[in-house]
Amino acid sequence: MAEPEADERSCLIPAARQPSEQVLVETVKDHHSRWRSIRVMYITMFLSSIGFSIVISSIWPFLLKVDTTADSSFLGWVIAAYSLGQMVASPLFGLWSNYRQRREPLIISILINVMANLLYAYVSAIPSHKKYFMLMARAFVGFGAGNVAVVRSYVSGATSLQERTSAMANMSACQALGFILGPALQTALTGIGQTGVSWKAIDLELNMYTAPAFLGAFLGIVNIVLIVALFREHNIDDLGRSINISTEENPELLEECLGDIDGIAVVISNILFFIILFVFAVFETISAPLTMDMYAWTGKQAVLYNGILLAGIGIESMVVFMASKIISKRIGERLMLLGGFMINFLAFFILLPWGNQYPKIQWAEMKNSSAELLLSESSTTMENVALRSTVNSPSESVGCPIQQLWCQYIPVIHLAQYILSAILVGMGYPVCHVMAYTLYSKILGSKPQGVYMGILTAAGSAARTLGPVFVSQVYTHYGPRWTFGIICGLVFLATVLLGATYKKIVGMSARYGRSEE
């Protein structure tokens, strides 16, 4: 086994060169430039997540304001449009970054994002079909966010194995911070009011709904300036050596030396990542309807209390991201990922209802006619969940709707269960998220990762799209026992899959003996 290892290393260091010329030592200037570029990618990820979350809480009232024909079903499409756009764009931008300088897809994608935010802000000035233009705007904001694949592939290609986990954790923390600050900025801008100020000459309306979009466009321009001024291309191998010259002088030799990507490990990683994001999307989506059904909260209370809880989870996640950098050095990324799945399983297992206390039934909507009742029972859809969680009127009924038959026989999920589950999700999700990305980048090795990162990002986007659909169908019709039981089964299968393929989920350098696992 020692001889092939020597062959692999000699392949990366051609014998025709002298030792001093074989290893490309990074200068202090190059080191600073490389990390400056990586930090620009951190900022890009941060601003991208802000661009998504800064308008998410105001989409529904803004949609109703600009187009009264819109309903909650259309709202679901508007929200899903972001993830669908990102799912389509991620592999395309990733492929682009493999063959051209990464600066090109980064700048173009951010320009698309800026224009899409401006379209969103100006949608009220469009004469007709305003809801469709809002849908288009959110789809293109998501399309521009497909540059996440480029960002992650660059950071992966510009860091050594020793630097990779820390860099990925920092990037995930920046993303989490953006998701936290986005709604906070939206809240701060509500002081402008629903009418705000207008400038007829250019059809400008600046109010609490359009200001976040204008701010998102401005941040995009700032991001482009940073990329043009500070971002530089840097590529190093898993051992921290530059591979630019090797690629130009002898690409065939480099391709042979880097080795083949393990396709099975790639597929498994995408499946695991899909499950990670699907589970978290379900938790986010179900928070409002679940708490309104179980604790008889009003829509306003559900938004407020869950907003506080999710913000707390975001802060907890940032702490976990930072801690994972230290812990993974001692026990390894694979064990961390396995532990993260176990924590997520426990989080949803805790949510399974038990006991003999039942939720308060919402009788206000019950009709006197049994025929009308049967009709209402058969027509429960996502609209019931969406409307109850977003619209709050003075006469709002509270409790578990009688249309949901399971309300009458499924025990209540106690508030302590819900809070404890949220705390565990805040631990398990960030661990799985950053470890999955880190392991995936190591599996791909030093080869261009744009397309593969695009596929992984698309898998995550698909999970965020299907999560709300799962909630609308399973939770509404069958209740929390089936919902969380299925999630527990899904996480358990993911844990078994990871355990069964544990030895396959290793970095390319470790597989070829160029580094330790």
Side-chain angles (χ1 to χ4, degrees):
M1 295 297 292
E3 188 173 345
E5 179 177 327
D7 290 342
E8 286 290 344
R9 297 189 180 185
S10 64
C11 189
L12 284 176
I13 305 176
R17 298 177 183 266
Q18 295 297 323
S20 61
E21 298 172 340
Q22 293 162 357
V23 179
L24 300 176
V25 179
E26 186 179 43
T27 65
V28 174
K29 181 180 179 181
D30 287 341
H31 179 81
H32 290 323
S33 175
R34 178 166 66 91
W35 277 101
R36 185 164 56 244
S37 299
I38 291 172
R39 292 185 181 102
V40 170
M41 293 298 94
Y42 292 166
I43 295 173
T44 301
M45 184 67 80
F46 170 72
L47 295 179
S48 176
S49 59
I50 281 185
F52 167 76
S53 61
I54 196 172
V55 300
I56 197 69
S57 62
S58 64
I59 286 179
W60 176 238
F62 187 41
L63 180 61
L64 290 178
K65 180 182 178 182
V66 300
D67 197 327
T68 55
T69 65
D71 57 17
S72 60
S73 295
F74 194 81
L75 169 67
W77 284 107
V78 172
I79 294 175
Y82 178 94
S83 295
L84 291 172
Q86 188 181 48
M87 183 171 62
V88 172
S90 297
L92 299 178
F93 285 128
L95 180 65
W96 187 353
S97 71
N98 277 0
Y99 292 96
R100 301 284 296 177
Q101 289 190 350
R102 294 182 180 91
R103 182 181 299 185
E104 294 178 9
L106 285 171
I107 292 176
I108 295 300
S109 62
I110 296 171
L111 280 175
I112 292 173
N113 196 290
V114 169
M115 298 303 294
N117 272 303
L118 291 177
L119 174 61
Y120 182 92
Y122 268 93
V123 73
S124 59
I126 299 172
S128 61
H129 301 98
K130 297 179 181 181
K131 65 180 182 180
Y132 295 108
F133 281 97
M134 181 180 286
L135 176 69
M136 185 188 304
R138 289 302 295 171
F140 276 105
V141 169
F143 193 90
N147 62 15
V148 168
V150 182
V151 171
R152 292 195 181 276
S153 67
Y154 175 81
V155 173
S156 179
T159 52
S160 66
L161 287 179
Q162 291 183 340
E163 300 168 331
R164 188 93 33 93
T165 302
S166 178
M168 288 294 184
N170 290 339
M171 190 157 49
S172 296
C174 289
Q175 187 177 33
L177 181 61
F179 284 130
I180 295 171
L181 291 183
L185 289 173
Q186 165 74 83
T187 302
L189 293 171
T190 55
I192 301 175
Q194 295 189 24
T195 54
V197 295
S198 59
W199 188 1
K200 296 295 184 182
I202 57 174
D203 291 325
L204 172 66
E205 288 190 15
L206 185 65
N207 52 49
M208 62 181 288
Y209 304 126
T210 62
F214 281 121
L215 179 58
F218 172 75
L219 293 176
I221 294 172
V222 171
N223 198 359
I224 291 174
V225 172
L226 288 174
I227 290 173
V228 172
L230 302 176
F231 180 79
R232 298 294 181 268
E233 291 284 343
H234 292 278
N235 294 284
I236 63 174
D237 66 11
D238 288 344
L239 301 179
R241 301 172 299 191
S242 174
I243 60 174
N244 291 332
I245 294 179
S246 300
T247 304
E248 294 171 3
E249 292 184 353
N250 201 335
E252 294 82 8
L253 177 63
L254 179 66
E255 182 75 13
E256 179 183 346
C257 294
L258 292 180
D260 295 325
I261 294 173
D262 189 339
I264 295 176
V266 167
V267 172
I268 293 170
S269 297
N270 276 276
I271 293 172
L272 294 177
F273 189 71
F274 175 88
I275 293 174
I276 293 165
L277 267 71
F278 179 81
V279 166
F280 188 71
V282 167
F283 184 82
E284 278 188 314
T285 306
I286 209 171
S287 60
L290 178 71
T291 52
M292 293 173 71
D293 292 342
M294 292 293 153
Y295 316 126
W297 288 355
T298 63
K300 184 177 180 180
Q301 288 175 321
V303 171
L304 175 62
Y305 299 151
N306 283 300
I308 294 172
L309 187 64
L310 289 174
I313 291 176
I315 296 171
E316 179 190 8
S317 296
M318 292 183 63
V319 175
V320 174
F321 282 135
M322 296 298 102
S324 65
K325 297 192 296 184
I326 301 172
I327 300 174
S328 64
K329 292 180 180 179
R330 297 185 177 182
I331 66 174
E333 288 92 355
R334 290 182 298 173
L335 273 178
M336 288 279 289
L337 181 58
L338 193 61
F341 273 114
M342 291 179 177
I343 293 174
N344 278 314
F345 176 83
L346 182 60
F348 284 91
F349 184 80
I350 287 173
L351 279 177
L352 291 173
W354 54 275
N356 53 10
Q357 182 180 346
Y358 297 91
K360 175 184 177 183
I361 301 297
Q362 184 187 124
W363 296 100
E365 301 297 328
M366 185 175 180
K367 306 297 182 181
N368 293 327
S369 169
S370 59
E372 290 177 339
L373 177 59
L374 289 173
L375 178 63
S376 67
E377 289 172 354
S378 65
S379 62
T380 304
T381 63
M382 183 179 180
E383 296 182 17
N384 188 34
V385 176
L387 282 172
R388 288 190 300 111
S389 61
T390 54
V391 179
N392 183 35
S393 63
S395 58
E396 180 180 4
S397 300
V398 296
C400 201
I402 189 63
Q403 293 93 336
Q404 298 177 169
L405 295 180
W406 57 264
C407 294
Q408 302 174 48
Y409 58 83
I410 295 294
V412 71
I413 297 173
H414 298 278
L415 185 59
Q417 287 177 262
Y418 178 63
I419 294 175
L420 178 58
S421 174
I423 293 172
L424 290 174
V425 168
M427 292 173 58
Y429 169 72
V431 169
C432 289
H433 187 272
V434 69
M435 292 304 131
Y437 258 123
T438 303
L439 284 168
Y440 189 68
S441 69
K442 291 183 177 182
I443 289 169
L444 300 177
S446 300
K447 292 187 175 184
Q449 299 186 3
V451 173
Y452 287 100
M453 282 295 181
I455 293 171
L456 191 72
T457 304
S461 299
R464 289 196 300 270
T465 303
L466 294 176
V469 176
F470 174 83
V471 170
S472 68
Q473 298 301 314
V474 179
Y475 174 78
T476 305
H477 292 93
Y478 303 104
R481 181 170 288 164
W482 272 99
T483 302
F484 299 132
I486 292 173
I487 293 298
C488 284
L490 193 61
V491 176
F492 177 76
L493 289 176
T495 307
V496 171
L497 176 62
L498 178 58
T501 59
Y502 191 81
K503 294 183 179 180
K504 293 286 291 182
I505 310 298
V506 294
M508 182 182 290
S509 291
R511 188 157 57 93
Y512 281 94
R514 295 194 291 265
S515 68
E516 296 180 358
E517 291 186 24

